[in-house]
Amino acid sequence: MIGQVEFYEKAGFQNILSERCYEYLVEKETIGVQIQKPMGMLLRFLRMCLANGEPLDHASKSAVECWNEKDINETPRNHYYRATEIRRFMQYLGKAGIDAYVDRDIRRVQSSFVPYIFSHSEIVRLFAAADGLPYTPISPQRVYVMSLLFRMLYGCGLRISEALNLVMADVDLDQGILYIRNSKFGKERLVPMSESLTFRCFQYVSNVGKHRKDEAAFFQTPCGGHYASGTILYAWRQTLYCAGISYGGKGKGPRVHDLRHTFAVHCLQKWVEAGEDLNAKLPYLSAYMGHAGLYSTQQYLRLTAEAFPHIVSAMEHNFDVFPGRQVEL
């Protein structure tokens, strides 16, 4: 977070609006939210207010409506993100007792992207390929990292950022539990692992992480830091190739994030075939995956029905509504 004075200089003024904006960002950062993008949006909003001669002691309707106008070259997704970020700030101002206009008519962007759901046989091939990835003498632990990382993403339904942010103290091998901190939506949670995954973590630590400090990265690079997403993507493409799974290119998948989607769908498939009550089970899956609400988890019902059509009738009997498409899970 930049200093308070520097923030006011970037905004172009110091007033009630800019002061509350800074406090809003500090509050978000305190709970572990990445604030680079929100800060950029809010600075642009403050500068727009200054340039347009808007009042600087509150957020007027005209300021919000001007901000929410879609730029001609702007994608619907970016426009939605920009509008919702300001709406969150307006809601924060309202709670602080400041007059602020909240636009409640922002249309959610529907994504045409369809996640790739791996079959059970593809998962087996994927892990076998990860176990045999080539590695250089400079980075002999790479095979351990990628082999375990991909298994953890699928076995625990983690986001890639959650796995890469793990430190040694976050992995409890005695209890078989991961401590997920600084996650999306600021949701910290405990994630139990299977016995087989816990054992693999134990093997990994014994081979490459025996003498690391608690604050050291669990998936550590040869230089001692956290892996960059580009390195993971390169290994992911190698793994898909070795597993004989076609890669459609950037933005087309299969993506690393699709391991998380596949975890949820395979979990629901298992419950349906076991005759479990999905109405009772979905809240547990939602909490396990760190979703903001139950609606995000319900999106996997449709994906499960599409991946395993033979269980559709059982799902319709087991659950009332199949929701439509959603942006991100």
Side-chain angles (χ1 to χ4, degrees):
M1 182 68 189
I2 63 175
Q4 194 169 10
V5 175
E6 184 184 356
F7 180 82
Y8 297 147
E9 290 177 349
K10 285 181 176 292
F13 63 90
Q14 179 180 353
N15 206 298
I16 292 177
L17 204 58
S18 63
E19 289 172 357
R20 293 296 178 270
C21 184
Y22 183 80
E23 293 168 1
Y24 169 74
L25 290 169
V26 170
E27 183 175 298
K28 293 189 75 167
E29 190 175 46
T30 301
I31 62 174
V33 177
Q34 297 292 324
I35 64 168
Q36 285 79 8
K37 284 187 178 180
M39 182 167 62
M41 289 289 177
L42 291 172
L43 283 170
R44 285 173 55 194
F45 176 75
L46 292 176
R47 294 183 196 123
M48 182 206 72
C49 290
L50 181 65
N52 293 353
E54 295 287 349
L56 304 179
D57 60 345
H58 69 282
S60 66
K61 179 179 179 180
S62 61
V64 175
E65 289 181 339
C66 180
W67 173 264
N68 286 347
E69 289 182 5
K70 186 178 180 299
D71 294 338
I72 189 170
N73 295 320
E74 189 175 30
T75 65
R77 185 180 184 124
N78 285 343
H79 177 247
Y80 174 77
Y81 170 75
R82 186 165 60 83
T84 50
E85 192 58 57
I86 293 302
R87 180 171 63 182
R88 294 189 191 102
F89 180 50
M90 296 302 110
Q91 292 169 335
Y92 173 83
L93 291 178
K95 292 178 182 178
I98 297 176
D99 183 25
Y101 174 71
V102 178
D103 187 352
R104 304 187 184 280
D105 193 35
I106 301 173
R107 303 296 181 183
R108 188 169 190 88
V109 180
Q110 299 299 311
S111 173
S112 60
F113 181 81
V114 179
Y116 187 94
I117 304 302
F118 293 95
S119 67
H120 291 281
S121 61
E122 284 178 325
I123 287 292
V124 172
R125 283 158 44 201
L126 198 70
F127 292 161
D131 291 341
L133 278 179
Y135 58 92
T136 66
I138 300 175
S139 179
Q141 79 268 34
R142 180 176 173 227
V143 67
Y144 293 110
V145 169
M146 301 306 163
S147 176
L148 179 58
L149 174 62
F150 296 152
R151 280 180 166 85
M152 187 178 287
L153 295 176
Y154 170 73
C156 296
L158 299 184
R159 302 177 179 92
I160 182 63
S161 59
E162 293 171 343
L164 295 182
N165 286 335
L166 288 171
V167 297
M168 297 299 292
D170 293 332
V171 183
D172 187 337
L173 296 177
D174 293 328
Q175 300 295 322
I177 291 176
L178 301 176
Y179 296 86
I180 306 300
R181 316 174 199 273
N182 300 326
S183 185
K184 191 175 181 180
F185 309 117
K187 284 181 171 287
E188 295 188 352
R189 65 192 193 277
L190 302 179
V191 177
M193 296 185 289
S194 66
E195 289 186 8
S196 60
L197 184 56
T198 302
F199 179 69
R200 282 189 173 272
C201 287
F202 175 81
Q203 288 181 312
Y204 168 79
V205 171
S206 299
N207 280 297
V208 300
K210 190 178 298 183
H211 302 296
R212 292 178 186 170
K213 297 181 179 179
D214 286 349
E215 63 273 17
F218 184 74
F219 292 110
Q220 191 177 103
T221 67
C223 298
H226 294 266
Y227 274 91
S229 57
T231 305
I232 304 302
L233 179 58
Y234 177 76
W236 174 247
R237 291 176 180 176
Q238 277 189 310
T239 304
L240 289 174
Y241 177 80
C242 293
I245 300 173
S246 178
Y247 177 69
K250 185 177 180 180
K252 298 181 180 180
R255 308 170 302 168
V256 178
H257 195 66
D258 289 330
L259 288 173
R260 173 175 163 89
H261 295 317
T262 301
F263 158 80
V265 168
H266 285 182
C267 186
L268 286 170
Q269 176 209 9
K270 182 179 178 180
W271 284 341
V272 171
E273 292 179 344
E276 299 282 358
D277 181 1
L278 296 189
N279 291 287
K281 288 288 190 179
L282 275 179
Y284 290 103
L285 183 60
S286 180
Y288 188 89
M289 298 186 71
H291 283 153
L294 190 59
Y295 184 76
S296 295
T297 319
Q298 289 172 341
Q299 305 306 309
Y300 287 118
L301 294 169
R302 174 183 55 81
L303 295 176
T304 305
E306 291 175 356
F308 303 100
H310 67 284
I311 62 173
V312 169
S313 59
M315 291 184 70
E316 289 176 341
H317 176 74
N318 208 301
F319 203 83
D320 298 332
V321 179
F322 282 82
R325 295 188 185 280
Q326 179 68 322
V327 180
E328 189 65 47
L329 298 166

